[in-house]
Amino acid sequence: MKEKKQEVLINKKDFYGNLTRLALPIALQSLMLAAVAAGDALMLGKVAQNEMTAVSLATQIQFVQNMFIMAVAGAGAILGAQYWGKGDKHTLEDIFNIMLRFSGIVSIIFFLGCELAPELLMHIFTHDEPLIVIGSSYLRIAGWSYLLTGVSQCYLTIMKVSEHVKPGALISSCAVVLNICLNAVFIFGLFGAPQMQARGAALATTISRIIELGLCIAVSSKGSYIRPAFDRFMRLPKQLKSDFIRQCLPLMGGSLCWGVGFTSYTAIMGHVGTDAAAANSVAAVVRDLICCMCNGIGSAAGIMVGNELGAGRLDIGKAYGIKLKNLSYVIGFISTALVLAVTPFVVRMVILTDQARGYLTGMMVIMSIYMIGRCVNTVTINGVLDGGGDTLFDMYSLIVCMWLIAIPLALMGAFVFHWSPLAVYACTCLDEVGKIPWVMIRFRKYKWVQDLTR
């Protein structure tokens, strides 16, 4: 009854207009990034299996870096959305400075690792000498892009929370398209360029990141955009810095729990059998592509709720959160239907053994149920709860549902009880669906309805 009363406060035209304006560009951005990974694998797979495998392993370094960068960007988005809603541009500039300092430190560390000890980094993932050689040559070039990624993500995050989401998404999408095109040029040696194979993929990534950052700086030079305040870059307000760290650390913990957990799922399925691993890799690509819309709505939810809470309109912020939570179920069921609809096409499209095809069909059906939990949790936890600063819950839920339930069950199923690959795969999907009741209990406590600004 309480939720229904709050819903009356919403101007539905403004609500859906803002949601569409924010979610579509972010979803497109997410889709384009997923397309780069698919493009890399496809192109290098046509050159040689070792090239594709080595780059797939080497890019795990960037995956780990992104966990830290996304935590910094997430904390900036949470505080930034609230201060933008309050109309405090001066503090938003200070938040930009804090983000640049934190992400700059992370980027420099990963850059130095790639330039000074790429072989050591590759040894973490493989002991195969040919793969280490190829992967190290990739990292020495790609390391320069890792130096720039953190800075450009800060610019794109600030654009997103300050009502410039379309230019930010356009810049990111252009960089992705350029990356894919340059991949083809340098991997295959088109238009007179040298055929660099894995090193070509690294060079394409680096060039596209340079252009992306250049565009971010150029576009942000316009009067209506928020820019770093370099005149006070080294004089950060202590209280604001403390608030930022308070939001960032739980996000980083949650990001690491999630990232390492997903890597564990892949490793477990890889040990179940070659056919299961092949089917799982195809299912993962489909999952990432279909999740783009819920990722966009989740990011939009955080901004919309944060804007209202930061402006002091707690009742509107709460009403928005309730509406977005309800909408997440609709998106989840649409995603379920979409997975089931594309299953026959996907199974026929890829070259797999009959056994692997059977596994893939089963995995797609299981994934269709998983999508409900994924959409609900992405929008509710990473959107609404984070938008109100309730960032610790995500880490708690991942520790319990993923690390204490799903991963142990998958491990025992694979190595102790020797369950079928589909049963093991179902265990890896259990965490998202299983935590829905817990998420709803947390949501209804309304601890996320708070103004974080000072």
Side-chain angles (χ1 to χ4, degrees):
M1 193 72 184
K2 208 170 187 181
E3 292 190 5
K4 197 172 183 182
K5 188 177 179 182
Q6 288 285 1
E7 197 174 353
V8 177
L9 298 171
I10 294 178
N11 182 319
K12 291 187 177 180
K13 184 178 179 181
D14 288 347
F15 174 84
Y16 286 111
N18 286 336
L19 183 62
T20 303
R21 178 178 58 83
L22 290 167
L24 285 182
I26 297 171
L28 175 63
Q29 200 173 348
S30 182
L31 179 64
M32 298 298 282
L33 289 171
V36 167
D40 275 0
L42 188 64
M43 291 180 200
L44 288 168
K46 293 203 174 282
V47 175
Q49 182 173 313
N50 273 359
E51 299 283 327
M52 180 183 70
T53 306
V55 170
S56 176
L57 294 172
T59 52
Q60 295 302 304
I61 303 300
Q62 187 180 27
F63 179 68
V64 175
Q65 183 198 17
N66 283 342
M67 291 183 209
F68 291 96
I69 296 297
M70 290 301 106
V72 172
I78 290 167
L79 291 175
Q82 292 220 2
Y83 278 103
W84 179 260
K86 189 178 183 179
D88 188 347
K89 294 184 179 181
H90 183 275
T91 302
L92 195 53
E93 291 172 350
D94 287 333
I95 291 171
F96 203 161
N97 286 346
I98 294 172
M99 290 171 65
L100 285 173
R101 281 180 62 173
F102 277 86
S103 64
I105 291 168
V106 170
S107 299
I108 289 169
I109 290 170
F110 278 84
F111 164 73
L112 291 175
C114 291
E115 297 306 313
L116 301 178
E119 294 86 0
L120 186 63
L121 293 176
M122 286 300 298
H123 267 291
I124 298 171
F125 302 102
T126 181
H127 296 295
D128 190 315
E129 197 58 38
L131 294 183
I132 290 172
V133 171
I134 295 169
S136 298
S137 67
Y138 174 90
L139 287 174
R140 283 196 178 91
I141 299 173
W144 291 94
S145 73
Y146 302 166
L147 187 64
L148 304 174
T149 300
V151 179
S152 59
Q153 283 303 315
C154 293
Y155 274 92
L156 293 170
T157 299
I158 292 297
M159 286 185 195
K160 190 164 61 176
V161 301
S162 59
E163 298 183 5
H164 295 104
V165 65
K166 285 184 181 177
L170 184 61
I171 289 170
S172 184
S173 299
C174 287
V176 167
V177 172
L178 179 64
N179 194 344
I180 294 172
C181 293
L182 291 178
N183 268 345
V185 171
F186 293 122
I187 289 173
F188 300 119
L190 304 179
F191 308 114
Q195 186 176 4
M196 300 172 67
Q197 299 183 349
R199 291 183 299 115
L203 181 59
T205 298
T206 301
I207 292 172
S208 64
R209 289 288 173 262
I210 292 170
I211 292 174
E212 179 182 59
L213 180 57
L215 288 172
C216 285
I217 294 171
V219 170
S220 294
S221 65
K222 296 177 182 177
S224 60
Y225 286 75
I226 302 295
R227 292 174 291 281
F230 290 114
D231 58 326
R232 55 181 191 274
F233 190 76
M234 302 307 293
R235 302 191 310 276
L236 300 177
K238 286 185 179 179
Q239 189 61 63
L240 183 63
K241 188 176 176 182
S242 176
D243 289 345
F244 186 90
I245 292 172
R246 192 177 298 114
Q247 299 301 324
C248 187
L249 288 180
L251 288 174
M252 195 171 292
S255 184
L256 288 169
C257 283
W258 180 85
V260 177
F262 249 78
T263 304
S264 300
Y265 288 159
T266 304
I268 291 168
M269 293 306 301
H271 283 89
V272 170
T274 305
D275 288 334
N280 181 57
S281 64
V282 175
V285 172
V286 176
R287 179 197 65 218
D288 292 344
L289 290 173
I290 293 180
C291 280
C292 290
M293 181 50 70
C294 78
N295 292 341
I297 292 176
S299 294
I303 294 170
M304 291 171 66
V305 171
N307 284 167
E308 298 302 325
L309 296 178
R313 296 187 289 269
L314 301 187
D315 53 346
I316 300 292
K318 181 179 178 181
Y320 272 20
I322 292 168
K323 187 76 173 174
L324 288 159
K325 179 262 295 181
N326 294 338
L327 187 62
S328 70
Y329 283 96
V330 177
I331 301 300
F333 283 110
I334 291 173
S335 298
T336 294
L338 191 56
V339 170
L340 293 174
V342 302
T343 295
F345 172 73
V346 171
V347 172
R348 285 197 304 268
M349 183 181 67
V350 292
I351 301 172
L352 295 171
T353 65
D354 290 340
Q355 180 78 73
R357 284 181 193 279
Y359 288 153
L360 178 57
T361 301
M363 287 177 182
M364 294 288 281
V365 172
I366 293 168
M367 192 211 301
S368 69
I369 306 301
Y370 160 89
M371 292 303 297
I372 298 171
R374 177 68 180 265
C375 292
V376 170
N377 295 328
T378 297
V379 175
T380 306
I381 299 176
N382 305 123
V384 178
L385 298 189
D386 282 1
D390 190 4
T391 53
L392 269 172
F393 177 74
D394 189 22
M395 187 172 69
Y396 292 154
S397 66
L398 285 166
I399 290 171
V400 174
C401 296
M402 178 180 272
W403 283 96
L404 297 183
I405 298 175
I407 290 177
L409 264 179
L411 284 169
M412 287 191 294
F415 302 114
V416 178
F417 302 117
H418 304 292
W419 290 342
S420 73
L422 291 181
V424 175
Y425 181 78
C427 292
T428 68
C429 296
L430 191 62
D431 59 314
E432 293 288 1
V433 177
K435 68 184 178 186
I436 290 179
W438 190 17
V439 172
M440 293 302 105
I441 291 170
R442 181 71 173 198
F443 177 88
R444 290 191 178 96
K445 288 182 179 179
Y446 300 116
K447 290 185 177 181
W448 52 272
V449 183
Q450 56 179 330
D451 182 352
L452 302 174
T453 65
R454 296 179 184 274

